[in-house]
Amino acid sequence: MAKLILSLEGSVIREVPLNRERVTIGRKPQNDIQIENLAVSGEHARIVTILNDSFLEDLGSTNGTLVNGAPVKKHILQDSDVIEIGKYKLKFVMEAGVAPPAEEASMEDFEKTMILRAPAGAKAAAKAFGDPPPSVQAVATAPVAAAAAAAAVVAPPAVEQQAAAIRILNGPSAGRELVFTKNLTTLGKAGVQVAVIARRPQGYFITHVEGVKFPVLNDKTLDAQAHPLQDHDVIELAGVKMEFFFKTK
């Protein structure tokens, strides 16, 4: 289990275990971590944790949220990341023996690294977000649950779930097919760009998680909302083009 170490000017104030799915940070008393400082917004940020993965999201705060000195809107937390909110710092610490949620690999290893873990239950998988990487590297991280509001998309009625896959269209891995076997598949490079594809009863959805650039779907740049995927849609993540398609029986 991960935890946050809250400090001010080098003095530790408290430790907060991330033992629930959502932990909110802000100036108002209803937050899980209340920071009574005018530089902190009433509802400043939140951290969503699923299994061993934690995701930070700035909630439109006035003064912003920094991670390791850089402003972020959404960020996959990794061991020893330092979140800065006003003058306060929250160090993200993973429990000993728990591996970081993401590991880098070359595009030649894309097939091995793209799909690693997914939530044990469909309930945990109902929320997701995502985005891409700007190099020939890809990262797979575990399940994602974040931006539930952003993921609240008007979807068609539930239908029988079809098996789906992605076919890589360019680069050294062109032609490879990767079948979705998990409820959530995270793509991208942690700290740069991350996107997630979620399998739901209504179909498959792609959502932006982290990074300045958003995923491109059929030559159209997506926004922060979850977007349904259709047969033969073309996704571009950091110059890597992939075709989403349904598997035939």
Side-chain angles (χ1 to χ4, degrees):
M1 181 176 64
K3 64 181 178 181
L4 295 174
I5 301 175
L6 176 65
S7 64
L8 176 64
E9 297 179 349
S11 298
V12 175
I13 299 172
R14 60 184 286 208
E15 293 188 6
V16 182
L18 296 178
N19 55 4
R20 61 178 69 182
E21 183 177 316
R22 289 174 177 270
V23 171
T24 57
I25 306 167
R27 193 176 69 254
K28 293 181 179 179
Q30 66 263 31
N31 287 284
D32 299 301
I33 302 176
Q34 183 186 11
I35 301 177
E36 297 185 51
N37 186 283
L38 293 178
V40 180
S41 296
E43 295 176 350
H44 197 104
R46 67 180 165 215
I47 295 174
V48 178
T49 300
I50 297 294
L51 298 182
N52 294 328
D53 298 279
S54 296
F55 302 85
L56 170 70
E57 181 184 11
D58 182 88
L59 299 176
S61 64
T62 301
N63 294 313
T65 302
L66 305 181
V67 175
N68 302 328
V72 299
K73 292 298 182 183
K74 297 175 184 176
H75 177 79
I76 296 178
L77 290 168
Q78 300 189 63
D79 190 35
S80 299
D81 275 353
V82 176
I83 304 165
E84 296 179 52
I85 296 179
K87 294 183 178 180
Y88 290 79
K89 293 184 178 181
L90 298 102
K91 185 175 182 179
F92 177 78
V93 178
M94 298 190 71
E95 183 183 44
V98 176
E103 55 184 89
E104 296 186 7
S106 66
M107 279 306 297
E108 285 80 357
D109 295 328
F110 191 81
E111 184 174 6
K112 298 178 182 177
T113 62
M114 191 178 74
I115 300 173
L116 290 185
R117 306 189 298 274
K123 181 178 180 181
K127 307 162 190 173
F129 54 45
D131 178 297
S135 70
V136 291
Q137 292 182 317
V139 164
T141 78
V144 185
V153 178
V154 177
V159 295
E160 183 180 354
Q161 189 65 275
Q162 283 184 274
I166 276 181
R167 180 183 296 113
I168 301 174
L169 301 178
N170 64 348
S173 299
R176 291 190 182 180
E177 292 185 4
L178 302 162
V179 179
F180 294 110
T181 59
K182 308 296 183 182
N183 288 325
L184 289 170
T185 301
T186 308
L187 310 174
K189 183 177 181 181
V192 180
Q193 292 179 323
V194 180
V196 74
I197 293 178
R199 181 173 63 186
R200 304 178 184 175
Q202 300 88 355
Y204 291 80
F205 293 78
I206 184 170
T207 320
H208 173 78
V209 177
E210 176 186 358
V212 176
K213 294 182 180 179
F214 283 65
V216 174
L217 180 64
N218 300 327
D219 296 322
K220 180 181 178 181
T221 301
L222 300 181
D223 53 22
Q225 303 298 316
H227 290 265
L229 290 170
Q230 306 296 331
D231 198 21
H232 301 302
D233 276 352
V234 175
I235 303 164
E236 184 173 350
L237 301 177
V240 178
K241 289 189 176 182
M242 310 169 212
E243 179 189 8
F244 173 87
F245 65 97
F246 290 109
K247 301 284 287 184
T248 55
K249 294 181 180 180

